[in-house]
Amino acid sequence: MFLQRSSRAVRSQWCRPQGLSRVLAHGSQGAFSVSRHGFHTSRALQVVKPVLLADIGEGIVECEIIQWFVEPEARVEEFSPLCEVQSDKASVEITSRFAGVVKKLHYDAGDMAKVGKPFVDIDIQGDAKKEDLEALTAPEPSQGQGGSGEALNKESLSKPPEGKTTETVKAEEKAPVGQQSDKPKKSTGRFASLATPAVRHLSKEFDVDITEIEGTGKDGRVLKEDIHRYVESRKSSAAASTPTQPPVDTATQTETPVQLTNIQAQMFKAMTRSLTIPHFLYTDEIDFSQMHSLRTRLNKVLKSSPQDDISKLSYMPFIIKAVSLALYQYPILNARVEIDANTQKPSLVHRSQHNIGIAMDTPSGLLVPVIKNVASRNILSIASELTRLQTAATAGKLSPQDLSGGTITVSNIGNIGGTYLSPVIVEKEVAILGVGRIRTVPAFDEEDRVVKKQACNFSWSADHRVVDGATMARAAEVVKQIVEEPDVMVMHMR
Ligand code: CAO
């Protein structure tokens, strides 16, 4: 199938005067061949392919192009970074699966790119696997119909690369072979900002345009130290140029519009969709005294002999396990609502695994990575996965897999503050638990003496279209019992 496509692409180049000189130039070097046995293209056979934006996670249909690392005419190798995209859930670096030369960027930074549609055209050079080409590039139009794939190829071959006039292209093509610029062009300007996602997050934190920084890393890569150095020099030049504070006009109200950060923009969309769900709030006070003493005892043990790299447990692994145990009795809280696109008829989809999303406060904002299959994990395994996700979230390194597949969410705001909260249900879920601050309060013991107690409020939000108040209260009561008497968890350990 590809052989046909190659030969047709080549035919279309032979028939087009502009393309002819280029093909002839390569042809004259005698390096143009297509193998019949297995897929093979020679380096000189240039095939401009519209490369499709791959599926980057469950249900994500579009994502924002944050920045390009290449520009038209830039040479890319396999696994070279092409661009960074931001989905509803994470920022992801997209790398090239092919070596070649970039011919066209289908989007500008800031545009929404559609998953499964072409986002970049690459003039593919060198060997490429047939399966990769078929899976990752636009499909072949049916014979003789001149569909979009061919149209894109033709367009890529006939249109001048962006930023060039037809004349400059023609001039280049007419240049003698020896004088043609065979060398791949080095990415420059805003496309040349090679840096890891962590470094780019840091640049955003400091509100620094990364392309203004001269990188001292490999291939001019911008490093964290470069950003810190840049911020310091910016501070000192600002201090030198503004010796005195400008007078503040206190009589006039000043309004300064500020663009949403990427994560705020995604949160805006996700929360707007979440608020189409009719929420109801259920809240209760939980006695954490026994949990507090169990955790203190276990942490003493872990301090002297860490298990699976865990030397300390927070309350979260216990709370997460308690929620999972309650889901066995109330599986509806692990379901999602499905509305048939044609009939608009709603139904519930029950899910066998308890994949618990954890709301995390990270340097770039709120993220909700997911601890998968909590039912099959013990407390240490939950703690270990929580630590991994927390570390990745802080470094801006969560993968789309880490961020997808949640079936219910726990949001613990108590380490920051607040007693009660009204948590917002995450899309494709029907319940969320909000955990307030654990505080020491006075209480009466069995002999009516005043004693110290550790108390914490659990606030649940549930989708009132499918979960009634009594079901929510019963499920919350199961979680409460387990947290108040955490020893019962031992019976459910696997
Ligand atoms: N009340 C009192 N103290 C709490 C607490 C609570 N509810 N939860 C945690 N703490 C304590 C921990 O015990 C720990 O203290 P010690 O080291 O002295 O024991 C400290 O706070 C820090 O805990 P942690 O945050 O490192 O770990 P965690 O497992 O308890 O929580 C996580 C992990 C990711 C949930 C938390 O770090 C976080 O990001 N919380 C914010 C979530 C959020 O933003 N929710 C709102 C979403 S809606 O916008």
Side-chain angles (χ1 to χ4, degrees):
M1 196 171 115
F2 184 80
L3 285 174
Q4 287 172 359
R5 180 167 51 208
S6 301
S7 29
R8 204 170 48 244
V10 171
R11 265 203 307 277
S12 68
Q13 291 174 66
W14 277 96
C15 299
R16 189 175 293 114
Q18 273 180 30
L20 184 63
S21 60
R22 202 166 59 140
V23 174
L24 281 173
H26 290 285
S28 66
Q29 290 161 358
F32 150 24
S33 73
V34 180
S35 162
R36 209 162 247 291
H37 307 291
F39 177 78
H40 174 77
T41 53
S42 78
R43 200 177 179 292
L45 175 61
Q46 300 189 326
V47 185
V48 177
K49 298 295 295 179
V51 182
L52 306 180
L53 182 59
D55 187 358
I56 59 165
E58 192 184 277
I60 293 170
V61 294
E62 60 175 13
C63 44
E64 184 181 346
I65 305 277
I66 298 179
Q67 59 176 328
W68 285 100
F69 305 128
V70 292
E71 62 185 329
E73 297 305 306
R75 165 92 198 162
V76 288
E77 302 302 334
E78 199 180 353
F79 304 121
S80 296
L82 293 174
C83 63
E84 182 186 6
V85 299
Q86 171 82 49
S87 75
D88 280 6
K89 301 183 173 179
S91 69
V92 180
E93 196 172 274
I94 308 279
T95 54
S96 178
R97 288 292 298 274
F98 310 107
V101 175
V102 172
K103 285 292 162 193
K104 176 178 169 181
L105 310 180
H106 286 243
Y107 299 98
D108 285 330
D111 287 353
M112 296 305 289
K114 297 261 182 263
V115 168
K117 298 277 179 231
F119 74 111
V120 63
D121 289 357
I122 298 183
D123 191 344
I124 296 165
Q125 299 173 1
D127 290 345
K129 278 193 196 141
K130 183 182 177 193
E131 316 82 77
D132 281 356
L133 268 175
E134 285 179 353
L136 299 167
T137 58
E140 172 71 358
S142 57
Q143 193 82 25
Q145 283 178 357
S148 64
E150 190 171 36
L152 276 162
N153 278 343
K154 281 180 181 168
E155 186 184 39
S156 310
L157 287 164
S158 57
K159 264 194 184 175
E162 270 163 35
K164 289 185 177 188
T165 62
T166 314
E167 282 63 36
T168 57
V169 173
K170 280 181 184 163
E172 272 185 19
E173 285 173 347
K174 279 179 193 155
V177 173
Q179 288 174 26
Q180 275 186 351
S181 164
D182 277 348
K183 277 193 195 157
K185 294 197 178 160
K186 222 181 151 201
S187 304
T188 52
R190 68 194 178 98
F191 300 104
S193 53
L194 290 171
T196 63
V199 170
R200 284 196 295 279
H201 280 296
L202 189 68
S203 74
K204 275 177 211 151
E205 262 176 58
F206 284 115
D207 194 20
V208 164
D209 179 355
I210 202 164
T211 58
E212 286 180 10
I213 299 180
E214 205 167 309
T216 58
K218 186 172 177 284
D219 298 332
R221 223 164 266 261
V222 176
L223 308 175
K224 282 187 179 174
E225 302 87 270
D226 298 326
I227 295 193
H228 287 298
R229 206 175 305 116
Y230 181 88
V231 170
E232 282 312 309
S233 73
R234 189 172 63 178
K235 268 191 212 156
S236 38
S237 59
S241 61
T242 51
T244 50
Q245 185 85 9
V248 180
D249 180 359
T250 51
T252 328
Q253 172 71 290
T254 313
E255 293 190 354
T256 314
V258 178
Q259 287 228 325
L260 299 188
T261 63
N262 288 319
I263 294 221
Q264 279 173 326
Q266 301 308 328
M267 197 161 69
F268 186 92
K269 283 195 271 177
M271 290 297 117
T272 306
R273 289 193 295 260
S274 285
L275 281 179
T276 59
I277 301 170
H279 284 55
F280 83 90
L281 179 67
Y282 172 91
T283 180
D284 197 8
E285 186 173 281
I286 316 285
D287 183 348
F288 258 65
S289 306
Q290 287 198 43
M291 173 71 81
H292 178 75
S293 64
L294 172 68
R295 176 179 171 248
T296 309
R297 276 185 281 130
L298 289 176
N299 279 345
K300 264 190 201 152
V301 176
L302 288 172
K303 196 173 174 189
S304 55
S305 63
Q307 306 277 317
D308 298 345
D309 287 341
I310 302 290
S311 56
K312 189 176 175 187
L313 294 167
S314 71
Y315 293 103
M316 280 299 272
F318 299 97
I319 297 170
I320 293 164
K321 189 70 191 176
V323 169
S324 169
L325 291 173
L327 291 178
Y328 280 117
Q329 290 181 49
Y330 296 94
I332 188 172
L333 297 184
N334 201 48
R336 70 179 158 83
V337 173
E338 175 99 353
I339 296 174
D340 188 287
N342 297 323
T343 62
Q344 295 299 305
K345 201 173 163 196
S347 62
L348 269 175
V349 180
H350 283 268
R351 299 180 284 196
S352 60
Q353 292 186 341
H354 304 160
N355 295 343
I356 302 191
I358 310 297
M360 281 188 187
D361 174 41
T362 76
S364 40
L366 171 69
L367 290 172
V368 190
V370 178
I371 301 182
K372 303 275 164 46
N373 212 353
V374 170
S376 70
R377 294 176 184 269
N378 61 23
I379 297 291
L380 279 174
S381 160
I382 296 171
S384 162
E385 183 63 353
L386 181 61
T387 306
R388 183 188 74 78
L389 293 172
Q390 240 178 312
T391 310
T394 308
K397 286 188 175 162
L398 288 170
S399 68
Q401 287 73 23
D402 289 333
L403 289 153
S404 59
T407 55
I408 187 168
T409 297
V410 175
S411 172
N412 175 14
I413 198 83
N415 63 328
I416 302 169
T419 308
Y420 311 95
L421 58 152
S422 171
V424 178
I425 300 165
V426 175
E427 263 188 315
K428 296 190 184 164
E429 297 180 13
V430 298
I432 179 169
L433 166 62
V435 179
R437 176 180 281 278
I438 301 164
R439 61 216 188 276
T440 308
V441 295
F444 293 107
D445 70 4
E446 279 146 18
E447 278 131 35
D448 279 352
R449 287 174 307 196
V450 176
V451 291
K452 276 187 183 178
K453 189 174 94 168
Q454 303 294 314
C456 177
N457 281 81
F458 278 11
S459 307
W460 294 86
S461 288
D463 183 340
H464 213 341
R465 294 172 302 178
V466 290
V467 181
D468 57 44
T471 305
M472 185 66 256
R474 289 190 188 104
E477 196 61 23
V478 173
V479 175
K480 176 181 165 120
Q481 280 165 11
I482 298 169
V483 174
E484 291 193 338
E485 285 186 51
D487 296 0
V488 299
M489 283 193 207
V490 173
M491 292 189 290
H492 301 281
M493 290 296 118
R494 281 156 197 261

